[in-house]
């Protein structure tokens, strides 16, 4: 099992440092960000933001925020990509690629599946089933890496959407909210060592003493030419939940030893980590 998880982490490091050249021929048109990819696809179809919003049942303002690289949930990302007829995985990487037909998806999977790792299958008709991942025996895989100067908050970075779908191990509970994190940072070493993957849940309510991931909001105003490209990584705090009050939470990390007090109004999501394998 651990060999399999280590393989995911190694694959994730390749994705994170890739300049996109290894994907030539799969995703052909590079944009500068996920939001600009969505905007380019919408304009190519001559649709207004309101028309896209009406297609998926959200507000025009939400579509505008997504096109400006504001946070977007994975279900909403899938919905807007389906409305625009573009590939979900490509959009996350800032590229506009027409959605594959079923035959093309099968062909692409056959060519690009890593050992024991299944590639994503966007545009599946059953994608919106609330038990989709359990029924398909898959688990979404997110990447976590070290913090950088694009995000002043947090102690780690987490991919905004899954980088791939992996086969669901028999030990994983039948819970659709569970996802796998392949991480390369060391803020919780030695409990969570670099390259050791672990599971988390978006449904389980964390309690004091548990390990958590707190996603935080941040200012996405980048200097000219400094907008990050490729996989969009969001700032998070990863560590042990030490305290929970009406106004903030306190998360501790091990390496280096530190405590982070995070105001609740800064937290966009708080997920429970199921512990290292």
């Amino acid at each position: 099992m651990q060999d399999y998880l280590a393989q995911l982490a190694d694959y994730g490091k390749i994705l994170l440092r890739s300049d996109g050249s290894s994907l030539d021929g799969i995703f052909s048109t590079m944009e500068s960000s996920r939001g600009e990819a969505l905007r380019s696809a919408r304009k190519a179809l001559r649709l207004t933001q309101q028309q896209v919003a009406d297609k998926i049942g959200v507000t025009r303002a939400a579509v505008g925020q997504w096109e400006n690289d504001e946070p977007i949930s994975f279900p909403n990302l899938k919905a807007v990509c389906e409305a625009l007829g573009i590939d979900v995985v490509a959009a996350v990487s800032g590229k506009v690629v027409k959605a594959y037909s079923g035959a093309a998806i099968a062909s692409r999977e056959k060519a690009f599946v890593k050992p024991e790792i299944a590639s994503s299958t966007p545009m599946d008709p059953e994608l919106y089933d609330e038990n989709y991942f359990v029924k398909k025996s898959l688990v979404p895989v997110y990447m976590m890496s070290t913090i950088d100067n694009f995000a002043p908050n947090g102690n780690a970075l987490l991919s905004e959407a899954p980088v791939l779908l992996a086969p669901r191990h028999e030990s994983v509970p039948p819970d659709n909210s569970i996802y796998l994190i392949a991480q390369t940072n060391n803020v919780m070493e030695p409990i969570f060592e670099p390259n050791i993957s672990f599971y988390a849940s978006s449904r389980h309510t964390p309690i004091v003493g548990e390990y958590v991931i707190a996603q935080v909001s941040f200012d996405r105003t980048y200097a000219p030419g400094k907008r990050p490209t490729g996989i969009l990584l969001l700032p998070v705090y990863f560590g042990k939940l030490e305290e929970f009050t009406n106004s903030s939470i306190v998360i501790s990390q091990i390496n280096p030893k530190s405590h982070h007090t995070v105001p609740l109004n800064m937290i966009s999501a708080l997920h429970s980590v199921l512990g290292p394998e």
Side-chain angles (χ1 to χ4, degrees):
M1 175 62 176
Q2 197 53 59
D3 289 343
Y4 164 67
L5 297 178
Q7 183 185 25
L8 288 177
D10 290 340
Y11 182 48
K13 285 192 286 186
I14 295 172
L15 288 173
L16 289 172
R17 65 172 178 258
S18 172
D19 60 2
S21 59
S22 63
L23 300 178
D24 287 348
I26 310 173
F27 307 138
S28 56
T29 306
M30 173 63 80
E31 301 292 335
S32 62
S33 73
R34 179 259 299 159
E36 292 182 16
L38 297 179
R39 182 184 296 111
S40 296
R42 175 179 61 79
K43 288 185 175 181
L45 294 173
R46 298 184 178 182
L47 295 174
T48 66
Q49 290 181 343
Q50 186 61 59
Q51 287 173 318
V52 175
D54 291 342
K55 283 176 174 285
I56 61 177
V58 298
T59 64
R60 183 205 61 77
V63 176
Q65 289 172 352
W66 299 338
E67 291 186 356
N68 285 321
D69 287 312
E70 292 300 317
I72 180 174
S73 68
F74 190 44
N76 281 336
L77 178 62
K78 290 183 289 187
V80 72
C81 286
E82 183 178 57
L84 297 173
I86 61 174
D87 184 273
V88 178
V89 178
V92 170
S93 299
K95 304 167 189 176
V96 179
V97 177
K98 184 177 180 181
Y100 294 99
S101 65
I105 290 173
S107 175
R108 187 186 68 166
E109 287 183 337
K110 182 177 181 181
F112 293 97
V113 165
K114 305 293 181 181
E116 296 190 64
I117 299 178
S119 61
S120 300
T121 55
M123 316 315 293
D124 189 315
E126 299 179 34
L127 203 54
Y128 301 101
D129 189 312
E130 63 178 7
N131 292 313
Y132 174 81
F133 296 119
V134 173
K135 289 182 178 180
K136 294 292 184 178
S137 195
L138 296 171
V139 61
V141 181
Y142 291 74
M143 289 307 308
M144 180 184 286
S145 67
T146 53
I147 201 72
D148 64 17
N149 59 3
F150 285 117
N153 297 314
N155 63 356
L157 293 171
L158 185 68
S159 60
E160 181 179 35
V163 295
L164 72 157
L165 301 179
R168 197 178 193 88
H169 194 270
E170 59 183 11
S171 64
V172 181
D175 183 343
N176 209 60
S177 72
I178 291 177
Y179 58 95
L180 183 65
I181 295 176
Q183 56 111 13
T184 60
N185 76 86
N186 62 354
V187 296
M188 289 300 290
E189 189 178 11
I191 296 178
F192 294 85
E193 296 182 359
N195 303 326
I196 298 299
S197 300
F198 55 87
Y199 290 100
S201 171
S202 60
R203 184 177 298 165
H204 176 67
T205 302
I207 61 175
V208 172
E210 291 186 338
Y211 299 107
V212 297
I213 294 173
Q215 182 176 313
V216 297
S217 56
F218 73 108
D219 184 0
R220 293 180 184 234
T221 303
Y222 304 112
K226 296 297 184 179
R227 183 191 294 274
T229 60
I231 299 173
L232 184 58
L233 301 172
L234 302 178
V236 298
Y237 285 101
F238 169 43
K240 188 176 183 179
L241 183 61
E242 300 287 355
E243 186 177 346
F244 200 128
T245 71
N246 291 331
S247 60
S248 66
I249 63 173
V250 176
I251 295 177
S252 65
Q253 68 176 57
I254 298 175
N255 185 29
K257 189 174 182 179
S258 179
H259 285 73
H260 306 281
T261 300
V262 189
L264 292 182
N265 60 10
M266 284 184 56
I267 299 175
S268 57
L270 184 63
H271 293 177
S272 178
V273 173
L274 304 185
E277 287 291 324

